[in-house]
Amino acid sequence: MRITMENIYKAFGTNQVLTGVNFELVDGEVHALMGENGAGKSTMMNVLTGLHARDKGTITIDGKETYFKNPKEAEQSGITFIHQELNIWPDMTVLENLFIGKELKNSFGLLKVTEMKALAKKQFDRLAVSIPLDKEAGNCSVGEQQMIEIAKALMTEAKVIIMDEPTAALTEREISKLFDVISSLKKAGVSIVYISHRMEEIFSICDRITVMRDGKTVDTKAIPETNFDEVVRKMVGRELTDRFPNRNPNLGETVLQVKGLTKKGQFEDVNFSVRAGEIVGVSGLMGAGRTEIMRAIFGLDGFDHGEIWLEGEKVTIKTPDQAVKAGIGFITEDRKDEGLILDFSIRDNMVLPTLYSFAPKGIINEKSEIDFVNMLIKRLTVKTESPDIAVGKLSGGNQQKVVIAKWVGIGPKLLILDEPTRGVDVGAKREIYDLMNELTDRGVAIIMVSSELPEVLGMSDRILVVHEGKINGELLKENATQEKIMTMATGGQ
Amino acid sequence: SMQPPGWAKPDKKDSLEDIKIGLSVSTLNNPFFVSLKDGVVKEVEALGMEVIIVDAQNDSAKQVNDVEDLIQQGVDALLINPTDSAAISTAVQSANNIGIPVVTLDRSADKGKVEALVASDNIKGGEMAANYIIEKLGENTQVIELEGVPGASATRERGQGFHNVADKKLNITAKQAADFDRTKGLTVMENLLQANPDIKAVFAHNDEMALGAIEAINSSGKEIMVIGFDGNDDALNAIKSGNMEATVAQQPELIGKLAVGAASDILQGKKVEKMIGAPLKLVSKD
Amino acid sequence: MNSINAVTKPKTNMMNAITQKLGPLLGLIILVVIVSILNPSFLEPLNILNLLRQVAINALIAFGMTFVILTGGIDLSVGAILALSSALTAGMMVSGIDPLLAILIGCILGGLMGMVNGLFITKGKMAPFIATLATMTIFRGLTLVYTGGNPITGLGDNYLFQLFGRGYFLGIPVPAVTMILTFVVLFIILHKTPFGRKTYAIGGNEKAALISGIKVPKVKVMIYSLSGMLAALAGAILTSRLNSAQPTAGTSYELDAIAAVVLGGTSLSGGKGRIFGTLIGALIIGTLNNGLNLLGVSSFYQMVVKGIVILIAVLLDRKK
Amino acid sequence: MNSINAVTKPKTNMMNAITQKLGPLLGLIILVVIVSILNPSFLEPLNILNLLRQVAINALIAFGMTFVILTGGIDLSVGAILALSSALTAGMMVSGIDPLLAILIGCILGGLMGMVNGLFITKGKMAPFIATLATMTIFRGLTLVYTGGNPITGLGDNYLFQLFGRGYFLGIPVPAVTMILTFVVLFIILHKTPFGRKTYAIGGNEKAALISGIKVPKVKVMIYSLSGMLAALAGAILTSRLNSAQPTAGTSYELDAIAAVVLGGTSLSGGKGRIFGTLIGALIIGTLNNGLNLLGVSSFYQMVVKGIVILIAVLLDRKK
Ligand SMILES: Nc1ncnc2c1ncn2[C@@H]1O[C@H](COP(=O)(O)OP(=O)(O)OP(=O)(O)O)[C@@H](O)[C@H]1O
Ligand SMILES: Nc1ncnc2c1ncn2[C@@H]1O[C@H](COP(=O)(O)OP(=O)(O)OP(=O)(O)O)[C@@H](O)[C@H]1O
Ligand SMILES: [Mg+2]
Ligand SMILES: [Mg+2]
């Protein structure tokens, strides 16, 4: 299938998102689509598949002008879309999730459950995933949910598959499996649009690359004819010298010490400590239990036994407000669902944990509040016209900065960052790294849970590797390598 | 202060030429009060006056508001069919303050000056029902009492009258509220029949419940005497066709008519009786 | 310790799964046992038949409500639809239309009223709560306007019509038969057809459902129409039982229906629940009403007991 | 075409912002104009004072409901709390306790009933709809048990107590004064204090609020208590107005309160809305009730009109 999109315009209200973008996809190619957060990548694909109507421009498919009215129509014509936001029904089983909207039915209109099961099994085998089909999707980890989405897309026997950040929640093992599948699809003549913020991937699997900036196409090139730096320059509009800043940690006292933390079925006998000014990276496979450990420390979900010590004192943290009072900040892996109130302004979001400090006499002093928010916006270089804009309208990277700002605002002793750069573009990533550096320079202790190995290697002073709920090993920055981490993550030493 | 400020008080009445009567009804969801209202409307038209009707939908607070609104429209006399005699008092007092005469229908007001009450005697009606059962089936007959909406004055008074007699001379094996509602009358009766297989008679606080109970009794195949209250069309038909034993018939249209008469007498400066009774009739097949 | 835990876990999990599936049923059984111990006449066949007949109306409404709640919506207008369609049906019968035809038309009219709800909710993008609250008031008002506040009587003595609410079929009350047939059909639709899956999908994640190509507005309109139609069917049964249409029929039936759905384990936030649970929920409420009457509990205390039972049932359901 | 759009756009945006802020107020003004044209006596001072007095009860309940709805909850039990606390207050007065003390205790009791709701919702993790539906039944039942179904009368003739519902202060009905004072206090709490911010945050995204260190359960319990307390305060006014406690007082007041909140532009899904809007919403409903009475519209048609007005108002609000 050959798709050409020419001079496409699309605006949401006054927000002009696509301003004459061009894109071309040919048979059997893997075509990378790159650009900063908010460049309009997802929107362009939504226009193609009929979720949004274009304002202007032409779309030609196999030489014929074609405009789909809705995603279903696109799917029936062979274009399948794995969306950036997971479309999961948490209360329905994996099987039900796989067939939503395209259930198989017999001539009486009844569901053909056995056939659907067989089909699902086949896809799962192909992806080497082993999620029980009758498990509730909500009990699957984000990574597993991502695999469900991929399996769902493969099942449509599509000629074109659009993958919008399919690997954001995956770890290396699943990613390599996905790449195998992509190459076999390619051999079968399927073309793939691959959107990702992970540079390494692009260069290992894609044939061509299109870079977008501010709703326009900047350039399209064959992968062999370009390189990492050029792509970044085109995306960000400036030179980006290094992906990671230099770290010169100046370690202080131990801030957090966790002793024998255990929760049945989730994690067991977790021991580690973090010092002031230190970044401890936490790595592991999908579903290893890293998030669960962090949530337990923050008082979100309880644990069965174990102790938490802060600055040499044993503390009891049963609820998040106790954690906040103790000076812990938690940037969750799910920014939209747990980190932000999307409809609320930047200001309202940023001051949430610090409300009382603006109301010494009970009434909020709006002036000091605004000063505070403006200071944070400046310090974290949040790109926005005004602090009164709803955070939902910001790009992913800027949203992430708002979450971080919220926690910087409490003057934390310890920050837990769970997948701090998930879905964030290279430029913004670098800014977040700089910020982490700045924080540790001022003596903040940081735990960084991340599935992106380069990030773990680039930013951590020390790396903990979690395997099936246990800490399977600890590596110092100097002697850590991808291979060592992967071995430990899969249970080896 | 308990008085509205001087600047807010309405101007004094213009003329007594075209007389406006205000009628506040407790509810119009019930045929009894619909008839009562019809009686008022007919009589008002016959006398060449005008009437404004408001419906409190069984809400005491709404009724107080309604009466205020009527006063606002400059009615010359108020006919009030209170949802509750205690709750209406303050509204009556407001009318008294401005000098609008008040006639109450079916129920009275505890406080405030009421020129006349036009009502049938509910307590007496309850007694009539009990006496009828004794007369037909003898003393110590097992009976069931289907009560109206808990707390409604009709429920209290009819129940009180019935118990005045029945407590001594009849055997009330069960009593349950069926809220003056035919559907509830049906289901409650079905259930009570199950628990009390030997009963011989049912007294329902209104005809609606009685008619519901009859449906239940008919499908159980038992022979049980049902006595209702009100005397609405359905009930009278049921009595004629032999389905229902008897009803303590009120004459709601007459109540309405008498009330209008009283009001017009008052407006013409004539004296009226404090208590104007609308006769109750026990209607049975014979 | 750990190995023991590992062994016991599947067991407790299975136990959990069983109580989850059977939770409401278990509640019903406990209730039935208590009531029959306190008053054995509860178990007499005639009482059980009566109970089934009484439950039918609430159950039918609650079935429709189950679909509505599964999509994450709510329908406060069902009681009013019942009253209005019942009045219209009776009106048709009085004017000489064949009773069964009148019932059919009444159900279609009920469906149309439900459709109006659906359109306000989808096209008008209104919250279901407020849309159906408004139409509830409107339908109630229209019923009173149409009936003038008086019951409609004189429905003739068509045998089939009388059977519809009062008769027996193979020894089972016709309303109970209607309820069971409807249950079977709706059960199949909900659990065995794509339409059912779509219902769950909308409640579970409406945005995702839309992206997956489900015609969310269409499905919702159909579901509110279904709810209206079932309310009208319940209304027809009531009309036959009372041999008349009551202007205030169905007052606060919506609350009983919602209670039945929730007691049956369906989540008010949508996407989770089963129609079998609703049947059980309706039976629980019916048993409570019937049982408390049989036990001679005063209606004041009945309200207290009913509220407490709902609280306990839902709390137990949450704990799992 | 496009360039024209680009030019006009900011203007319409500003217009939108204005209508959004003033939407409900505009609706009220239109309504007042229509009613006063049709019946000029609507504007007479005494009628306006009456209107304010009539509105006070619904407004007070709706103020509490605003907080509840802002957190994404709902409180169906307010009418029942009003009745129960009113009965208890009257009971205390009859037994000789100082009326003002009785009112104070009544409000505290109302707050406790609200707290029960809050605990079921937070500790019991129940959906607010079903928790307050159950407590509604229970409180209603308890009211009937306590009063035996009879109104409580003989409240004595304490002047201050009579003033509370029926008197005037500086020429303004005391209930209206109470309403305005309460409004001012709640306005400050909602818009100027951390507590208000938290209320919004919980409704905007409960999980995010929790993770930001907000004690969500505590705030919710406080809000349901507030709602109960305001219902009890409304109940005290009603008790004074009716000079008695009615066992069935407050029936379906929850629906009027919810309608006022929604008409005021607060979203039922939480996190969005203003208490000023609620005041306007209550005035709209009050004006409708009063105006339709003044215009002599039959109560049946009144229901239809009220439903239609709610539909239109909410639809217009959505369109913006
Ligand atoms: N439904 C919508 N309504 C309003 N604005 C939208 C909508 N969808 C996207 N936008 C806006 O369009 C712009 C482009 O968004 P888009 O999701 O296409 O970016 P992207 O390139 O996919 O970014 P990312 O890398 O963060 O996924 C953003 O400013 C976003 O806020
Ligand atoms: N809400 C939930 N309910 C039940 N089980 C869950 C839930 N969320 C996650 N799990 C399970 O808990 C385990 C640990 O998940 P967790 O999210 O902590 O892993 P992780 O190491 O952070 O991986 P990921 O990169 O996927 O976030 C997984 O087996 C997962 O299936
Ligand atoms: Mg995107
Ligand atoms: Mg994780």
Side-chain angles (χ1 to χ4, degrees):
Chain A
M1 197 182 269
R2 190 188 177 89
I3 300 175
T4 9
M5 301 177 73
E6 279 172 300
N7 208 25
I8 305 284
Y9 280 80
K10 173 74 196 171
F12 294 104
T14 50
N15 184 5
Q16 193 66 46
V17 174
L18 298 180
T19 51
V21 74
N22 297 304
F23 181 73
E24 184 205 43
L25 184 72
V26 297
D27 275 330
E29 74 165 334
V30 180
H31 194 138
L33 188 53
M34 299 213 60
E36 291 186 275
N37 293 121
K41 307 177 292 290
S42 304
T43 305
M44 176 160 77
M45 292 300 120
N46 283 334
V47 167
L48 171 64
T49 52
L51 191 66
H52 297 320
R54 75 201 193 291
D55 296 340
K56 232 166 80 179
T58 43
I59 302 175
T60 329
I61 294 177
D62 289 336
K64 228 176 86 210
E65 265 193 51
T66 314
Y67 305 102
F68 300 117
K69 283 204 250 354
N70 53 53
K72 183 121 188 182
E73 231 179 77
E75 204 168 290
Q76 279 156 355
S77 312
I79 304 178
T80 304
F81 195 164
I82 304 176
H83 287 270
Q84 184 173 9
E85 307 300 332
L86 294 177
N87 289 323
I88 286 288
W89 287 268
D91 295 323
M92 297 176 87
T93 66
V94 172
L95 181 69
E96 286 167 346
N97 264 280
L98 285 171
F99 286 92
I100 290 275
K102 39 180 176 282
E103 295 87 357
L104 306 180
K105 55 179 180 186
N106 61 22
S107 41
F108 299 110
L110 300 182
L111 296 169
K112 296 201 284 190
V113 178
T114 347
E115 278 89 337
M116 290 196 281
K117 270 191 182 146
L119 222 74
K121 194 93 196 38
K122 210 173 94 196
Q123 284 311 330
F124 273 9
D125 288 347
R126 186 167 162 201
L127 288 165
V129 285
S130 54
I131 315 170
L133 286 175
D134 54 1
K135 186 172 174 180
E136 267 180 30
N139 290 341
C140 296
S141 73
V142 184
E144 287 175 328
Q145 293 178 357
Q146 183 74 65
M147 292 312 274
I148 296 173
E149 287 266 46
I150 293 170
K152 193 161 107 185
L154 293 180
M155 224 147 39
T156 56
E157 307 296 338
K159 292 192 260 329
V160 172
I161 301 180
I162 303 161
M163 301 186 177
D164 198 347
E165 302 196 28
T167 56
L170 301 186
T171 47
E172 308 296 324
R173 195 168 60 171
E174 295 86 31
I175 292 176
S176 75
K177 204 69 223 172
L178 176 66
F179 286 0
D180 291 348
V181 173
I182 289 180
S183 23
S184 72
L185 284 171
K186 196 168 119 177
K187 279 195 205 103
V190 176
S191 21
I192 286 165
V193 181
Y194 194 89
I195 305 176
S196 175
H197 289 296
R198 293 190 173 187
M199 289 296 200
E200 296 82 359
E201 297 173 4
I202 303 295
F203 285 89
S204 68
I205 56 160
C206 296
D207 303 313
R208 286 204 294 168
I209 178 166
T210 293
V211 176
M212 280 177 74
R213 189 162 79 235
D214 298 336
K216 285 197 186 64
T217 318
V218 182
D219 202 357
T220 300
K221 278 203 165 161
I223 287 288
E225 289 162 24
T226 185
N227 59 43
F228 190 92
D229 291 329
E230 190 189 1
V231 171
V232 172
R233 192 173 60 242
K234 287 193 164 140
M235 269 173 67
V236 191
R238 63 189 152 88
E239 206 74 42
L240 203 67
T241 41
D242 279 306
R243 287 181 62 196
F244 301 103
N246 275 331
R247 274 195 57 72
N248 304 304
N250 182 12
L251 301 190
E253 295 294 304
T254 299
V255 174
L256 172 80
Q257 183 152 28
V258 176
K259 296 182 184 169
L261 209 63
T262 301
K263 184 176 184 185
K264 235 189 297 162
Q266 304 276 13
F267 46 82
E268 205 185 315
D269 196 24
V270 173
N271 294 292
F272 70 91
S273 63
V274 193
R275 293 169 64 180
E278 186 183 29
I279 296 180
V280 173
V282 180
S283 186
L285 294 182
M286 169 181 108
R290 296 163 296 170
T291 300
E292 305 296 328
I293 296 170
M294 300 308 146
R295 290 173 68 90
I297 294 173
F298 194 67
L300 262 170
D301 310 322
F303 51 87
D304 299 335
H305 41 89
E307 291 173 2
I308 297 172
W309 293 64
L310 267 181
E311 295 185 318
E313 266 178 63
K314 192 178 162 196
V315 290
T316 350
I317 295 177
K318 289 236 168 70
T319 54
D321 66 276
Q322 291 169 337
V324 175
K325 268 208 205 90
I328 306 178
F330 184 30
I331 289 136
T332 55
E333 60 183 335
D334 192 340
R335 170 169 78 224
K336 293 209 157 81
D337 200 33
E338 300 182 325
L340 293 169
I341 308 174
L342 291 175
D343 291 339
F344 282 24
S345 67
I346 296 173
R347 170 177 152 194
D348 283 340
N349 273 283
M350 275 189 184
V351 298
L352 268 191
T354 34
L355 274 174
Y356 277 113
S357 54
F358 307 107
K361 293 197 199 79
I363 303 288
I364 291 177
N365 179 338
E366 299 209 13
K367 187 166 175 312
S368 66
E369 182 191 348
I370 291 172
D371 289 346
F372 176 78
V373 169
N374 283 334
M375 182 273 289
L376 284 176
I377 288 179
K378 239 214 229 112
R379 229 183 94 191
L380 281 84
T381 59
V382 180
K383 258 175 255 153
T384 175
E385 298 156 40
S386 135
D388 292 319
I389 283 182
V391 272
K393 289 200 175 140
L394 298 179
S395 74
N398 278 304
Q399 287 185 6
Q400 191 69 8
K401 284 190 204 164
V402 173
V403 187
I404 298 175
K406 182 166 111 175
W407 291 114
V408 169
I410 69 166
K413 296 182 189 124
L414 170 69
L415 267 187
I416 304 172
L417 307 169
D418 195 357
E419 310 284 1
T421 63
R422 176 175 289 174
V424 171
D425 68 53
V426 268
K429 265 183 189 166
R430 173 62 204 248
E431 291 176 36
I432 290 172
Y433 298 145
D434 284 335
L435 213 82
M436 289 166 66
N437 242 356
E438 200 187 308
L439 287 169
T440 48
D441 284 349
R442 293 194 300 127
V444 178
I446 290 183
I447 303 173
M448 177 184 73
V449 177
S450 171
S451 298
E452 242 186 283
L453 281 183
E455 176 173 285
V456 173
L457 289 166
M459 286 304 294
S460 318
D461 303 324
R462 206 150 43 92
I463 299 163
L464 306 173
V465 186
V466 179
H467 169 67
E468 294 186 350
K470 287 186 200 147
I471 295 191
N472 193 31
E474 189 175 322
L475 294 163
L476 287 180
K477 181 180 191 136
E478 299 79 69
N479 37 27
T481 61
Q482 293 226 8
E483 291 69 35
K484 276 191 196 165
I485 296 178
M486 280 317 288
T487 320
M488 288 182 164
T490 45
Q493 276 304 337
Chain B
S1 139
M2 295 296 295
Q3 294 292 325
W7 48 267
K9 285 202 176 154
D11 305 329
K12 208 61 208 137
K13 289 280 142 48
D14 17 24
S15 81
L16 282 169
E17 283 290 55
D18 39 355
I19 287 178
K20 246 195 282 181
I21 303 270
L23 170 65
S24 168
V25 198
S26 59
T27 175
L28 286 177
N29 292 347
N30 181 320
F32 176 80
F33 296 104
V34 175
S35 301
L36 184 143
K37 177 207 79 180
D38 290 342
V40 169
V41 172
K42 271 187 209 150
E43 183 68 5
V44 162
E45 278 168 4
L47 296 178
M49 301 187 288
E50 196 191 325
V51 64
I52 307 169
I53 301 158
V54 287
D55 167 12
Q57 290 160 348
N58 271 330
D59 180 346
S60 309
K62 183 172 186 314
Q63 188 159 41
V64 176
N65 294 345
D66 284 345
V67 172
E68 281 170 357
D69 293 346
L70 285 176
I71 295 174
Q72 185 59 36
Q73 284 163 286
V75 296
D76 301 287
L78 271 169
L79 305 187
I80 303 178
N81 157 232
T83 53
D84 180 86
S85 43
I88 201 63
S89 306
T90 59
V92 173
Q93 285 165 341
S94 313
N96 293 158
N97 283 341
I98 299 183
I100 300 177
V102 176
V103 175
T104 58
L105 295 80
D106 191 46
R107 276 163 223 153
S108 182
D110 285 355
K111 293 221 182 90
K113 183 159 166 267
V114 175
E115 306 293 337
L117 161 67
V118 186
S120 34
D121 189 341
N122 277 318
I123 299 181
K124 180 135 170 280
E127 290 168 353
M128 283 163 75
N131 285 325
Y132 181 84
I133 295 173
I134 297 166
E135 180 190 318
K136 287 279 166 182
L137 299 175
E139 293 200 357
N140 293 324
T141 308
Q142 291 198 12
V143 295
I144 280 180
E145 181 185 7
L146 290 179
E147 300 175 302
V149 173
S153 67
T155 306
R156 296 197 302 270
E157 292 164 8
R158 291 170 195 177
Q160 187 190 336
F162 185 69
H163 282 266
N164 282 346
V165 177
D167 280 349
K168 282 169 237 144
K169 301 192 179 159
L170 289 170
N171 178 5
I172 304 176
T173 48
K175 57 174 192 170
Q176 280 287 338
D179 299 351
F180 290 135
D181 180 71
R182 199 182 290 195
T183 319
K184 291 225 177 94
L186 169 58
T187 49
V188 170
M189 194 63 211
E190 279 175 349
N191 298 337
L192 289 180
L193 277 177
Q194 196 57 43
N196 308 280
D198 300 325
I199 58 132
K200 292 283 175 294
V202 175
F203 170 54
H205 286 186
N206 78 347
D207 284 339
E208 289 292 312
M209 293 188 292
L211 290 166
I214 286 170
E215 299 293 342
I217 293 168
N218 285 349
S219 54
S220 79
K222 291 198 166 114
E223 269 296 318
I224 295 169
M225 164 190 288
V226 178
I227 292 140
F229 207 113
D230 283 351
N232 68 29
D233 291 344
D234 273 6
L236 296 177
N237 286 335
I239 292 172
K240 231 178 268 162
S241 66
N243 267 326
M244 182 159 155
E245 176 69 26
T247 184
V248 181
Q250 305 195 72
Q251 304 187 59
E253 282 217 36
L254 183 62
I255 295 179
K257 186 178 166 191
L258 292 173
V260 176
S264 83
D265 284 353
I266 294 161
L267 288 173
Q268 288 163 29
K270 295 186 203 159
K271 268 209 99 54
V272 292
E273 293 274 335
K274 272 269 165 217
M275 167 73 210
I276 300 171
L280 283 171
K281 276 201 310 242
L282 201 133
V283 180
S284 62
K285 205 169 15 182
D286 21 70
Chain C
M1 258 315 276
N2 249 319
S3 64
I4 290 172
N5 276 338
V7 175
T8 52
K9 215 171 185 182
K11 232 184 204 161
T12 41
N13 264 348
M14 220 169 65
M15 276 297 286
N16 270 348
I18 290 177
T19 46
Q20 182 135 22
K21 286 242 165 179
L22 296 184
L25 191 55
L26 215 73
L28 176 63
I29 292 171
I30 295 175
L31 194 65
V32 165
V33 169
I34 295 178
V35 173
S36 9
I37 290 175
L38 293 175
N39 186 341
S41 75
F42 174 80
L43 284 179
E44 274 174 32
L46 186 63
N47 191 49
I48 299 297
L49 292 185
N50 270 341
L51 178 66
L52 284 178
R53 193 206 300 273
Q54 292 172 4
V55 160
I57 288 174
N58 183 24
L60 284 172
I61 300 176
F63 291 159
M65 191 69 84
T66 308
F67 280 80
V68 169
I69 290 182
L70 278 176
T71 67
I74 197 130
D75 188 348
L76 300 181
S77 71
V78 281
I81 291 183
L82 181 151
L84 182 51
S85 64
S86 157
L88 293 172
T89 306
M92 285 186 272
M93 286 172 62
V94 169
S95 76
I97 294 175
D98 177 76
L100 292 193
L101 183 65
I103 289 180
L104 191 72
I105 299 177
C107 287
I108 292 172
L109 290 174
L112 287 176
M113 297 173 216
M115 184 190 264
V116 169
N117 286 332
L119 290 175
F120 276 117
I121 291 162
T122 55
K123 302 272 169 223
K125 296 191 173 44
M126 292 174 73
F129 188 97
I130 198 73
T132 56
L133 177 64
T135 57
M136 169 179 99
T137 321
I138 296 176
F139 294 150
R140 279 255 166 250
L142 290 177
T143 310
L144 290 169
V145 169
Y146 181 74
T147 61
N150 292 312
I152 300 180
T153 54
L155 305 187
D157 44 9
N158 180 297
Y159 184 64
L160 284 176
F161 171 68
Q162 294 187 348
L163 271 188
F164 196 64
R166 285 174 271 165
Y168 291 84
F169 178 77
L170 302 178
I172 300 169
V174 175
V177 174
T178 310
M179 165 181 88
I180 291 164
L181 286 181
T182 311
F183 171 76
V184 171
V185 172
L186 294 178
F187 183 91
I188 292 173
I189 291 180
L190 189 57
H191 293 293
K192 306 284 171 198
T193 72
F195 186 83
R197 288 285 166 88
K198 287 177 193 167
T199 307
Y200 281 100
I202 291 174
N205 187 342
E206 183 163 336
K207 244 201 225 156
L210 204 65
I211 289 176
S212 304
I214 294 175
K215 292 182 184 131
V216 176
K218 195 180 129 195
V219 174
K220 280 195 180 175
V221 170
M222 286 175 72
I223 283 176
Y224 282 92
S225 306
L226 174 74
S227 172
M229 193 177 294
L230 288 169
L233 181 64
I237 294 177
L238 190 63
T239 314
S240 164
R241 288 200 73 190
L242 298 176
N243 204 14
S244 66
Q246 300 289 319
T248 55
T251 306
S252 81
Y253 279 20
E254 57 279 0
L255 298 183
D256 272 350
I258 293 168
V261 174
V262 174
L263 282 177
T266 295
S267 147
L268 275 176
S269 45
K272 217 160 55 181
R274 287 141 65 246
I275 196 170
F276 178 69
T278 300
L279 181 63
I280 302 298
L283 284 170
I284 291 180
I285 293 182
T287 307
L288 266 178
N289 284 336
N290 177 288
L292 292 173
N293 272 344
L294 287 190
L295 301 179
V297 177
S298 105
S299 61
F300 303 168
Y301 283 104
Q302 286 196 16
M303 295 175 78
V304 180
V305 172
K306 265 205 269 182
I308 292 175
V309 168
I310 293 180
L311 281 181
I312 293 176
V314 177
L315 276 181
L316 288 181
D317 212 46
R318 285 296 155 281
K319 282 279 169 281
K320 286 173 327 203
Chain D
M1 259 317 276
N2 250 318
S3 66
I4 290 172
N5 276 339
V7 175
T8 52
K9 232 163 194 173
K11 232 185 205 162
T12 41
N13 261 350
M14 220 170 65
M15 278 295 287
N16 270 348
I18 290 177
T19 45
Q20 183 134 21
K21 287 244 163 174
L22 296 183
L25 190 56
L26 214 73
L28 176 63
I29 292 172
I30 294 175
L31 194 65
V32 165
V33 169
I34 294 178
V35 174
S36 8
I37 290 176
L38 293 175
N39 187 341
S41 76
F42 174 81
L43 285 179
E44 273 175 33
L46 186 62
N47 192 49
I48 300 297
L49 292 185
N50 273 342
L51 177 66
L52 285 177
R53 191 208 302 274
Q54 294 171 6
V55 160
I57 288 174
N58 183 24
L60 284 172
I61 300 175
F63 291 158
M65 190 70 82
T66 307
F67 280 79
V68 169
I69 290 182
L70 277 176
T71 67
I74 198 130
D75 188 348
L76 299 181
S77 70
V78 281
I81 292 183
L82 180 150
L84 182 51
S85 64
S86 158
L88 294 172
T89 306
M92 284 185 272
M93 286 171 63
V94 169
S95 76
I97 293 175
D98 178 76
L100 293 192
L101 184 64
I103 289 180
L104 191 72
I105 299 176
C107 288
I108 292 171
L109 289 174
L112 287 177
M113 296 173 215
M115 184 189 263
V116 170
N117 286 332
L119 290 175
F120 276 117
I121 290 163
T122 53
K123 301 272 169 226
K125 295 190 174 45
M126 291 176 74
F129 188 98
I130 198 72
T132 56
L133 177 64
T135 56
M136 170 179 98
T137 321
I138 295 175
F139 294 150
R140 280 253 167 253
L142 291 177
T143 310
L144 290 168
V145 169
Y146 180 74
T147 61
N150 297 314
I152 299 180
T153 55
L155 306 187
D157 43 10
N158 181 296
Y159 185 63
L160 284 176
F161 170 68
Q162 294 188 349
L163 271 189
F164 196 64
R166 286 174 269 164
Y168 292 82
F169 177 77
L170 302 178
I172 299 170
V174 175
V177 174
T178 310
M179 166 180 89
I180 291 164
L181 286 181
T182 311
F183 171 76
V184 170
V185 172
L186 294 178
F187 182 92
I188 292 173
I189 291 180
L190 189 56
H191 294 294
K192 306 282 172 199
T193 70
F195 186 82
R197 292 286 179 86
K198 289 178 191 173
T199 307
Y200 280 100
I202 292 173
N205 184 343
E206 186 164 334
K207 270 193 219 163
L210 187 75
I211 290 174
S212 301
I214 292 175
K215 291 175 187 151
V216 176
K218 193 180 131 195
V219 174
K220 279 195 182 175
V221 169
M222 286 176 72
I223 283 176
Y224 283 92
S225 307
L226 174 74
S227 173
M229 193 177 294
L230 288 169
L233 182 63
I237 293 178
L238 190 65
T239 314
S240 165
R241 287 202 74 190
L242 301 178
N243 203 16
S244 64
Q246 298 289 319
T248 56
T251 307
S252 82
Y253 279 19
E254 57 278 1
L255 299 184
D256 272 349
I258 293 168
V261 174
V262 173
L263 282 177
T266 296
S267 148
L268 276 175
S269 44
K272 229 160 39 189
R274 286 143 66 247
I275 195 170
F276 178 69
T278 300
L279 181 63
I280 303 297
L283 284 170
I284 291 180
I285 293 181
T287 306
L288 265 179
N289 285 336
N290 175 284
L292 291 173
N293 266 350
L294 288 190
L295 300 180
V297 177
S298 105
S299 63
F300 301 167
Y301 282 104
Q302 286 195 16
M303 295 175 79
V304 179
V305 172
K306 267 204 268 180
I308 291 176
V309 168
I310 294 180
L311 282 180
I312 293 177
V314 177
L315 276 181
L316 289 180
D317 212 46
R318 285 295 155 283
K319 282 280 169 280
K320 286 172 325 201

